[in-house]
Amino acid sequence: MTGLYIHIPFCKRKCPYCDFYSLEGQGTKTFDAYISRLIKEAQSYNPENISVDTIYIGGGTPSLLSAEQVATLLNALKESFNVSNNAEITLEANPSSVDENKLSGYLNAGINRLSFGIQSALDDELLRLGRLHNFERAREAVTQAHNIGFKNISADLMIATEGQTSARLRQSVLSLTELPVQHISCYMLKIEDGTPFSKRSLSLPDDDESAELYLTAVNELKSSGFNQYEISNFSKEGFESRHNLKYWQGEEYIGLGTAAYSYFEGVRFHNERDLKAYLNGDDIRQIDERNIDKAEEYILLSLRLSKGVSLKKYISLGGSDKLLQKAKDLPANLIEINGDNIHLTAEGFLVSNDIIARLQT
């Protein structure tokens, strides 16, 4: 089964830390034109008769779209692809851009999973992050979604932000886990070049403090019944993100829209970050990689997951049988070896890039 990612490059106001492709100040006319172009791009795959079991509508702020626009898009996708009856269909939402009627419309349109960009339960942190909502609004949006009938709700939480301490992070984790959510994505703030945050003098936690904050989040989420299944993702049993697991398990996915990435038929490619060219129907597809080292990619992706790497599978993909000895040479607090399986500990996740580099040499 293939996954579909749909990029919606529109925001009411772009967050100062965000490097994703999105534009402010666009209206309904542009939204309609963009959806029409998405439908045409989807139709270009029609002859392939592709079976799909996950759809992820990300951004940007997809919840700027009306329920009718989302319904139009989903209906067209189901005409162009063989979408399974139990497909996971996610929409990212900003708490400030939804209300009860819109949420109900999304559910009726076929959305069955919501991912709310909450980021913090503390209003002063939300203000510093440039968010448009306060936590009360976030709480209200999640509660409304749950009461309407959404059974699969995720929330984003940002770690290592300015002024954050372990005590304040615990407060955010506790507040989020008290909401009717089944999944929490917990990301460290990363300052990207060219963003407003990169041009400011921010007082951020240092590396040791960031590590402490990360481990605090891991432990608090575990205590609240959210199991870690990936470096940054935690869920109650059975509520792992099926779509995002495709990325980390090396499965195929098709990205539609400007700035969307794909891995399909053994080729990695993406659409350029150019809304005008996309709306004009120009060919903005760029090939990234054709000859992929399957063993190397398996290590790179699978060590992000709590279940880790199967030695047998790694060797079957052309990997070296020296991997086990390399893993044994690493500090015991960073990696665990159980028979055929190698996986990172929470401490290991903090230095995963270094570990992966050592295992691949």
Side-chain angles (χ1 to χ4, degrees):
M1 288 281 189
T2 303
L4 285 181
Y5 173 77
I6 318 297
H7 190 67
I8 306 298
F10 310 120
C11 284
K12 184 174 181 179
R13 186 178 73 197
K14 196 171 176 70
C15 296
Y17 54 81
C18 181
D19 187 44
F20 293 140
Y21 181 64
S22 63
L23 302 170
E24 301 175 356
Q26 308 298 317
T28 300
K29 185 176 180 180
T30 302
F31 296 171
D32 285 337
Y34 189 75
I35 289 171
S36 295
R37 182 68 183 88
L38 284 171
I39 291 170
K40 289 181 180 178
E41 188 181 9
Q43 290 169 343
S44 71
Y45 287 92
N46 192 38
E48 304 292 343
N49 192 28
I50 301 162
S51 294
V52 166
D53 64 349
T54 67
I55 299 174
Y56 193 103
I57 305 175
T61 308
S63 55
L64 289 179
L65 300 179
S66 69
E68 291 75 17
Q69 288 168 327
V70 170
T72 297
L73 175 60
L74 289 180
N75 288 337
L77 293 177
K78 291 174 182 178
E79 291 178 0
S80 294
F81 300 96
N82 179 23
V83 179
S84 63
N85 291 331
N86 69 337
E88 175 193 85
I89 305 178
T90 303
L91 181 119
E92 289 184 346
N94 189 319
S96 68
S97 61
V98 295
D99 57 29
E100 193 168 356
N101 287 336
K102 183 180 274 191
L103 290 168
S104 181
Y106 289 154
L107 185 65
N108 292 332
I111 301 297
N112 55 31
R113 183 175 184 271
L114 290 172
S115 179
F116 280 105
I118 296 177
Q119 313 308 352
S120 173
L122 303 175
D123 288 348
D124 61 323
E125 289 185 3
L126 291 170
L127 189 63
R128 283 193 290 271
L129 290 170
R131 303 300 292 178
L132 294 171
H133 63 274
N134 58 26
F135 185 64
E136 184 53 39
R137 176 62 202 125
R139 188 203 312 275
E140 182 181 28
V142 172
T143 302
Q144 286 175 335
H146 171 74
N147 291 341
I148 285 166
F150 281 99
K151 306 300 183 186
N152 193 348
I153 302 174
S154 179
D156 288 350
L157 173 64
M158 193 164 284
I159 303 177
T161 63
E162 190 171 27
Q164 191 175 66
T165 63
S166 291
R168 288 169 64 82
L169 178 56
R170 287 191 188 94
Q171 187 176 345
S172 277
V173 171
L174 178 61
S175 296
L176 286 182
T177 56
E178 287 178 341
L179 297 177
V181 300
Q182 293 74 40
H183 185 281
I184 293 178
S185 294
C186 205
Y187 300 104
M188 281 199 184
L189 173 63
K190 182 180 179 182
I191 306 300
E192 303 285 358
D193 291 341
T195 61
F197 267 10
S198 71
K199 302 169 185 176
R200 299 180 190 174
S201 179
L202 300 175
S203 179
L204 299 176
D206 61 25
D207 288 346
D208 289 341
E209 291 168 335
S210 294
E212 181 183 350
L213 288 167
Y214 175 78
L215 295 175
T216 294
V218 170
N219 292 330
E220 292 297 321
L221 286 165
K222 182 177 181 180
S223 297
S224 297
F226 287 80
N227 296 315
Q228 184 174 27
Y229 69 96
E230 193 266 345
I231 288 178
S232 302
N233 286 275
F234 306 76
S235 74
K236 294 182 178 179
E237 187 173 355
F239 287 94
E240 298 85 357
S241 170
R242 288 164 50 192
H243 181 83
N244 287 338
L245 278 171
K246 289 186 180 295
Y247 302 148
W248 304 315
Q249 293 177 161
E251 299 176 28
E252 293 197 331
Y253 54 92
I254 292 171
L256 303 178
T258 179
Y261 282 75
S262 303
Y263 171 51
F264 186 61
E265 296 183 336
V267 179
R268 293 195 181 279
F269 54 94
H270 74 277
N271 289 335
E272 293 178 343
R273 297 160 67 116
D274 191 333
L275 176 62
K276 183 177 180 180
Y278 184 74
L279 292 178
N280 285 340
D282 299 343
D283 183 7
I284 60 172
R285 182 178 297 178
Q286 297 290 321
I287 301 299
D288 298 316
E289 192 175 9
R290 291 185 184 274
N291 300 313
I292 297 170
D293 186 323
K294 295 288 188 179
E296 183 176 311
E297 181 158 281
Y298 176 61
I299 286 285
L300 182 66
L301 296 175
S302 294
L303 281 181
R304 291 185 61 93
L305 297 168
S306 294
K307 69 178 184 179
V309 167
S310 161
L311 285 166
K312 290 179 181 177
K313 182 173 181 179
Y314 175 69
I315 292 171
S316 74
L317 293 171
S320 170
D321 57 6
K322 296 179 181 179
L323 180 69
L324 179 59
Q325 185 56 52
K326 290 180 181 179
K328 288 180 178 179
D329 291 340
L330 292 167
N333 67 314
L334 302 180
I335 200 162
E336 292 184 357
I337 303 170
N338 298 306
D340 179 58
N341 178 262
I342 298 172
H343 66 271
L344 302 184
T345 64
E347 290 82 0
F349 280 144
L350 283 166
V351 290
S352 60
N353 290 339
D354 291 339
I355 292 176
I356 290 168
R358 290 175 64 176
L359 292 177
Q360 289 178 330
T361 55

